[in-house]
């Protein structure tokens, strides 16, 4: 199965098992908007808890807030979003379809990279043990030809991006022969800027309604509360403010399922520091955030940093943590050194002094900021795409198992009476009563045990507990583990501790 096909299968699986549904489905859906189902919401909440506790509980100097989605419209002028939160769009005149010009070019570059990797894979297969990859990349004519093409287009693209030269974007698209996938033609319009903020109006028109925006990031709710939190919390620099909440962007090209949505959720933390210390803190937060990801056990090789070549005018360092999604390494989280741009501008636009008095140095300054910003939905997609596994079974059948890191699994334990009679359901209910205060669970007495195991594998439940006739006599149950499918007899009173060891968020946090 190609990665593309696998991704389609994953999307279908997410719907079939109650993780994610297209929004407004009975009205044929709403583009790039999704709803979380009964499994998805629990996975999402577990991810949010892991982040929230890691930020606000493990760091004495980080506190959390929950600011409103609606904010004063001047905030978005001060932040630069009204003037500059734009994407370059281009239309195909024949299909009337709209694309992001930069994405068309990046996809083209991605295809060249794929060709190079295919050549390298062919070489590896041909030469076996004797394969010297570095030498192959440096000498193989096909690789060299594709690499030269990649370099030329990439250099032009980076220069155009730096200069905000949209005519050059269009020229690159035409010179590379990039066609619209629908019409197959190269009949493109000029490239135009498109602001990504959604707007609405507050108050009735008779009152003189105000144009307001749905926030495109949660960060500004933190900046405008800097003084409130610093004063009421008696916070001393360095300190951080964390927030989880919805953000909205009118993405031109929304695709790849929940990777790029129009309504999504962010987990953002702004860390306020003394000017001049930002590069040290930037390094520290890069390490801390990478550790948070790797701690989930989804493979350190599946993450990498991508340092930004082009920095926003207010940033002096920026990197992405990229994850190996089914469609390649893509941004999962951003870490930015934002200087004092935001606080400085809010000071200017609001007329309120936003400074920190440093009692040790007896001076006041506008703090600098390191920001960590991760999309909840992208994190859900990273977990789901990494977890989806199809495995052959000894009996020749297959099982689909979601190897979700156990502390994030929506359901931690399934309790099943072997049969629906002989007092087994009653004992199973007692087991449920023993476990339900600590773990999310499902009680299942329908179909064969094999079918019940398959259902739990498909949603990633780490443990299945079966109550059988022996249980009535010896007070033990059979515990079957999701990944190894190993079974062992465990005393009912020991169940809680056994499950806790593997699924506990506390243990996950302790490893950080
Ligand atoms: N405050 C900084 C900020 O918003 P960003 O790189 O635009 O930075 C941060 O967004 C993170 O939010 C991204 O790394 C990504 O995980 C998530 N994100 C951004 N746009 C998204 C979208 N349209 N759909 C889903 N997640 C998105």
């Amino acid at each position: 199965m190609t990665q593309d096909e696998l991704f389609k299968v994953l999307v279908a699986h997410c719907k079939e098992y109650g993780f994610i549904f297209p929004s407004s489905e009975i009205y044929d859906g709403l583009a790039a908007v999704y709803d979380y189902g009964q499994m998805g919401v629990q996975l999402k909440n577990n991810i949010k808890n892991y982040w929230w506790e890691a930020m606000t509980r493990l760091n004495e100097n980080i506190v959390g807030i929950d600011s409103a989605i609606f904010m004063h419209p001047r905030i978005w002028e001060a932040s630069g979003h009204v003037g500059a939160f734009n994407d370059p769009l281009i239309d195909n005149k024949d299909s009337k379809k709209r694309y992001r010009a930069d994405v068309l070019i990046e996809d083209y570059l991605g295809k060249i990279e794929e060709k190079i990797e295919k050549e390298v894979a062919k070489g590896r297969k041909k030469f076996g043990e004797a394969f010297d990859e570095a030498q192959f990349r440096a000498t193989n004519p096909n690789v060299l030809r594709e690499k030269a093409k990649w370099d030329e287009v990439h250099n032009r693209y980076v220069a155009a991006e730096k200069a905000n030269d949209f005519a050059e974007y269009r020229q690159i698209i035409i010179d590379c022969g990039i066609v619209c996938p629908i019409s197959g033609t190269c009949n493109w319009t000029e490239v135009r800027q498109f602001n990504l903020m959604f707007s609405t109006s507050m108050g009735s028109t008779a009152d003189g309604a105000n144009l307001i925006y749905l926030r495109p990031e949660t960060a500004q709710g933190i900046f405008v509360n800097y003084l409130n939190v610093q004063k009421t919390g008696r916070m001393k620099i360095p300190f951080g403010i964390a927030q989880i909440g919805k953000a909205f962007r009118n993405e031109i090209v929304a695709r790849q399922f929940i990777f790029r949505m129009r309504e999504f959720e962010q987990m953002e933390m702004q860390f306020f520091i003394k000017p001049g210390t930002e590069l040290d803190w930037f390094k520290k937060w890069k390490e801390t955030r990478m550790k948070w990801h790797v701690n989930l056990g989804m493979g350190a090789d599946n993450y990498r940093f991508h340092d930004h070549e082009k920095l926003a005018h207010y940033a002096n360092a920026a990197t992405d943590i990229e994850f190996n999604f089914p469609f390649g390494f893509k941004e999962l989280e951003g870490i930015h050194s934002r200087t004092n741009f935001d606080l400085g501008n809010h000071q200017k636009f609001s007329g309120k002094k936003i400074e920190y008095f440093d009692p040790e140095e007896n001076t006041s300054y506008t703090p600098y900021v390191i920001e960590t910003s991760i999309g909840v939905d992208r994190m859900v997609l990273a977990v789901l795409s990494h977890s989806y596994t199809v495995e052959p079974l000894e009996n020749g059948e297959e099982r689909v198992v979601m190897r979700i890191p156990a502390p994030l699994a929506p359901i931690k334990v399934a309790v099943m009476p072997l049969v629906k009679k002989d007092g087994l359901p009653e004992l199973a209910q007692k087991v449920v009563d023993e476990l339900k205060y600590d773990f999310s669970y499902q009680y299942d007495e329908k179909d064969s045990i094999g079918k019940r195991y398959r259902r739990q594998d498909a949603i990633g439940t780490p443990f299945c507990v079966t109550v059988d006739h022996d249980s009535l006599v010896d007070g033990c149950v059979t515990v079957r583990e999701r990944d190894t499918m190993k079974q062992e007899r465990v005393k009912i009173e020991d169940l809680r501790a056994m499950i806790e060891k593997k699924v506990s968020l506390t243990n996950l946090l302790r490893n950080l």
Side-chain angles (χ1 to χ4, degrees), residues 387-399:
S387 304
Y388 183 87
T389 324
V390 182
E391 270 181 13
L393 294 171
E394 275 173 10
N395 63 3
E397 289 177 10
E398 278 184 341
R399 70 164 182 157

Side-chain angles (χ1 to χ4, degrees), residues 161-405:
E161 200 186 13
K162 265 199 184 122
N164 275 334
D165 183 350
F166 296 117
E168 174 66 354
Y169 273 22
R170 181 171 185 272
Q171 202 52 50
I172 296 173
I173 290 171
I174 288 168
D175 291 348
C176 292
I178 299 174
V179 296
C180 162
I182 309 290
S183 67
T185 70
C186 209
N187 194 7
W188 297 107
T189 61
E190 295 304 309
V191 175
R192 282 159 298 144
Q193 289 283 58
F194 175 77
N195 192 288
L196 298 182
M197 281 199 294
F198 282 102
S199 59
T200 184
S201 46
M202 184 174 263
S204 69
T205 15
D207 292 332
N210 274 328
L211 179 75
I212 56 162
Y213 300 99
L214 298 191
R215 65 182 180 196
E217 62 170 15
T218 62
Q220 297 305 323
I222 294 180
F223 288 123
V224 297
N225 276 296
Y226 162 80
L227 282 178
N228 284 336
V229 175
Q230 194 271 319
K231 289 204 169 118
T232 58
R234 290 178 291 120
M235 307 300 288
K236 287 207 168 64
I237 274 184
F239 75 91
I241 305 179
Q243 162 156 247
I244 300 177
K246 288 269 184 169
F248 304 84
R249 295 183 189 177
N250 198 1
E251 299 283 358
I252 301 168
V253 187
R255 48 177 200 173
Q256 282 150 343
F257 194 30
I258 55 170
F259 182 81
R260 196 176 301 286
M261 301 158 87
R262 297 203 163 103
E263 173 181 341
F264 58 101
E265 223 170 339
Q266 289 185 313
M267 308 190 278
E268 298 201 292
M269 194 278 300
Q270 313 293 321
F271 198 68
F272 299 95
I273 52 174
K274 191 173 153 187
T277 63
E278 67 272 18
L279 293 183
D280 288 340
W281 280 112
F282 179 69
K283 187 164 168 276
K284 155 104 180 28
W285 278 108
K286 269 178 81 169
E287 286 161 11
T288 308
R289 291 303 305 146
M290 187 56 101
K291 210 167 163 198
W292 183 90
H293 286 285
V294 173
N295 191 36
L296 282 171
M298 299 200 297
D301 290 353
N302 285 320
Y303 303 88
R304 70 181 187 197
F305 286 114
H306 171 238
D307 294 332
H308 289 203
E309 285 173 35
K310 184 193 174 194
L311 293 173
H313 56 285
Y314 52 80
N316 58 9
T319 195
D320 295 335
I321 294 179
E322 294 186 337
F323 182 75
N324 190 7
F325 288 99
F327 36 84
F329 274 94
K330 290 276 181 284
E331 176 185 347
L332 172 59
E333 169 158 7
I335 302 167
H336 314 118
S337 171
R338 292 180 74 127
T339 67
N340 60 1
F341 172 82
D342 301 87
L343 289 184
N345 262 12
H346 286 308
Q347 182 161 267
K348 233 185 275 163
F349 277 70
S350 69
K352 304 275 178 337
K353 199 165 158 191
I354 306 181
E355 285 192 341
Y356 175 76
F357 175 71
D358 189 330
E360 274 152 35
E361 305 214 347
N362 204 23
T363 52
S364 292
Y365 55 80
T366 305
Y368 270 36
V369 169
I370 303 296
E371 165 183 78
T372 73
S373 174
I374 170 171
V376 180
D377 312 271
R378 274 193 202 177
M379 190 61 203
V380 170
L381 184 58
V383 171
L384 289 173
S385 59
H386 178 266
S387 304
Y388 183 87
T389 324
V390 182
E391 270 181 13
L393 294 171
E394 275 173 10
N395 63 3
E397 289 177 10
E398 278 184 341
R399 70 164 182 157
V400 172
V401 52
M402 295 297 278
R403 294 176 177 273
I404 298 173

Side-chain angles (χ1 to χ4, degrees), residues 19 26 105 110 114 138 172 228 252 305 332 401 418 431 438 462 474:
F19 283 94
I26 58 169
I105 300 170
E114 269 172 33
I172 296 173
N228 284 336
I252 301 168
F305 286 114
L332 172 59
V401 52
L418 188 63
V431 173
D438 294 294
D474 63 8

